[in-house]
Amino acid sequence: MGNWYWWMLLGMAVVTYLPRAIPLTFLEGKELPPAVSGVLRNIPYAVLGALIFPAILYAQPDDLLFGVIGLASAALIAWWGGGVMGTVLGTIAILAVYSLLAG
């Protein structure tokens, strides 16, 4: 391992640590405005959606409809109050039936 490896590792550690340490240091004991707090509270859900959505559409690369049906069924089951397990199992069942019918 060359010297560049350790500098790269140190650089990655710094850029990972700074975004966590700066707010902790400077915002300690301060109350954020409700609008900022609301935005920060929703970031994990937005990131999760951005990471999962492309994978949903390309779950079966040759069959885009598979991902669309899976997304629609999961959204509808969750909307109707299916809970996490109900949504997952229901979507699996619907996609299994679709796979059998589509051949």
Side-chain angles (χ1 to χ4, degrees):
M1 285 188 290
N3 212 13
W4 65 271
Y5 179 80
W6 296 108
W7 283 111
M8 185 173 57
L9 189 64
L10 179 66
M12 289 188 295
V14 167
V15 300
T16 301
Y17 178 73
L18 282 179
R20 297 165 192 238
I22 290 173
L24 184 64
T25 304
F26 294 113
L27 296 177
E28 184 178 358
K30 294 182 182 175
E31 190 75 25
L32 291 174
V36 173
S37 180
V39 168
L40 292 175
R41 197 174 316 120
N42 289 321
I43 286 177
Y45 303 111
V47 170
L48 183 64
L51 290 173
I52 290 176
F53 187 73
I56 289 172
L57 292 180
Y58 297 110
Q60 297 270 341
D62 55 337
D63 188 9
L64 184 64
L65 191 58
F66 185 87
V68 172
I69 290 172
L71 175 64
S73 63
L76 288 173
I77 294 170
W79 183 268
W80 288 330
V84 175
M85 284 304 291
T87 302
V88 170
L89 295 176
T91 303
I92 290 171
I94 289 170
L95 289 175
V97 169
Y98 170 74
S99 293
L100 289 173
L101 294 177

